[in-house]
Structure formats: C-alpha cells, structure tokens
Amino acid sequence: MDKNIYSIPNLLSLLRLALVPVLIIAVCLKETNLFLLLLAISLLSDMLDGYFARKLQQVTEFGARLDSWADMATYAMMIIGIFYIWPVIFVEQLYFLIAATLSYVLPVIIALARFRSFPSYHTWGAKIAAVLIAPAFYLLVLADNQLFFRLVIVFHVIVAIEEIAITFLLKKSKTNVASILSILYCREDRSS
C-alpha cells in the first residue's frame, strides 16, 4: 500500500466517492439544484486530483485506481440523475446513454478478465473526454444541446476502443498509459 494514502489527490478522489450517497439522496428527493451543484463539485474535484497528483509529484498506482473508481461512480450518478430527474431527456438520449455506459463498463470487464485488476490508464483521450463530459452534461440538461452531448459520447466510445486495445497489447496490468501509441512505440523500441 502506498505510504501517502491521505495525499491531496487521494482526498479529492475520496471526496468524489463520499459525494455519491449524497447525490443519490438528491436524486431521490428530486433536488435538481442540489444534484447539479454536488455533481459540479465532484466533476471539478476530478480535474483537480490529477492536476495535484502531477504538480505535487504524488502520482501513485493506488491514487490512479482510486481516481478510476471515483470516475465510474460519478459517471454512473450522471446517468442515474438523467433517468430520475430528466426522464424525457433519458428517453431521447437512450442509445447514447447505453453507448456511454458500455464505454465505461466494457474496458473494465475486459481488463478484469485479462489482468484481474481494474484498468486505470488515464490516457490523453480519457482526460480530454473527462473534461468534455461536464459541459456536455450541463448543456444537455439545462439547454437541451443534444449535438454536443452526442459528439462527446462518440468520443468516449473511441476512447473505450483505445483502452480495450491497450488492454490486449499490454503483457501485464499498468496504470497511467498516455495512449496506444506509447504502447506501440515501446514495443518498437524493444524489438530494435
């Protein structure tokens, strides 16, 4: 176990996990404004944990996995929120929400089957997708901007395909992989 489990980045990831039950309560009570506020805090802390991990040189395997768990829980709450608070939007976006769900679930299932561990690649594509999902979600539920939301979900699917390919290319589980190109480049270096 990493020595500095209570680092700032890990505490931010733990905050996101702690917000999940509160988000569930907000959904159950149909407290839309509270849900949107708490979700914004969660999404902001997601951006900050990676920033602080790099800035403070506190990037750890445990932290990467904790961040991935918090990501999955936060994104699941976004879908649950749409289902309960904005059911009309849920129906309109059903296929894209299914695609979004599969883009998170399939890479995890494949990595668990292959390595018996949760994938935490944090590729550049995944980082960009994570930044884009917040405005896409808020523009969808507050301004009915479906196009941007759908484009972001398509991008998430592309990121998932890259993560699945990375899983098949790796010989053992690894965290913080920049992109599939970094895996392919390292293979070429070893064969030269």
Side-chain angles (χ1 to χ4, degrees), residues 91-190:
V91 171
E92 290 172 348
Q93 304 304 318
L94 182 61
Y95 294 118
F96 287 90
L97 293 169
I98 291 169
T101 302
L102 291 174
S103 75
Y104 292 110
V105 172
L106 286 179
V108 170
I109 290 170
I110 292 168
L112 286 171
R114 182 156 164 81
F115 299 124
R116 307 268 186 266
S117 70
F118 198 88
S120 299
Y121 300 138
H122 297 105
T123 63
W124 281 106
K127 290 175 185 176
I128 293 167
V131 169
L132 292 175
I133 196 66
F137 175 84
Y138 283 92
L139 285 170
L140 176 67
V141 300
L142 298 176
D144 196 31
N145 187 326
Q146 297 179 25
L147 179 61
F148 184 62
F149 178 78
R150 290 176 176 186
L151 290 172
V152 170
I153 297 305
V154 169
F155 186 67
H156 272 269
V157 170
I158 294 167
V159 168
I161 292 167
E162 180 188 34
E163 290 184 352
I164 290 168
I166 288 169
T167 298
F168 284 117
L169 289 171
L170 289 175
K171 300 229 184 288
K172 63 179 185 164
S173 181
K174 184 176 179 181
T175 59
N176 298 317
V177 177
S179 73
I180 193 168
L181 296 176
S182 64
I183 301 295
L184 294 172
Y185 180 74
C186 288
R187 282 184 168 200
E188 287 177 14
D189 281 352
R190 281 182 258 152

Side-chain angles (χ1 to χ4, degrees), residues 15-16 19 23 33-48 74 78 134 137-138:
L15 168 66
R16 281 190 293 145
L19 283 174
L23 284 164
N33 291 337
L34 178 61
F35 177 81
L36 291 171
L37 174 65
L38 293 174
L39 184 63
I41 292 168
S42 183
L43 293 166
L44 179 62
S45 72
D46 182 26
M47 291 190 305
L48 292 175
T74 301
M78 292 171 84
F137 175 84
Y138 283 92

Side-chain angles (χ1 to χ4, degrees), residues 51-68:
Y51 170 78
F52 282 122
R54 289 183 296 281
K55 184 82 171 164
L56 301 173
Q57 298 178 351
Q58 296 177 336
V59 176
T60 63
E61 190 161 323
F62 174 76
R65 295 196 190 287
L66 185 63
D67 177 55
S68 293

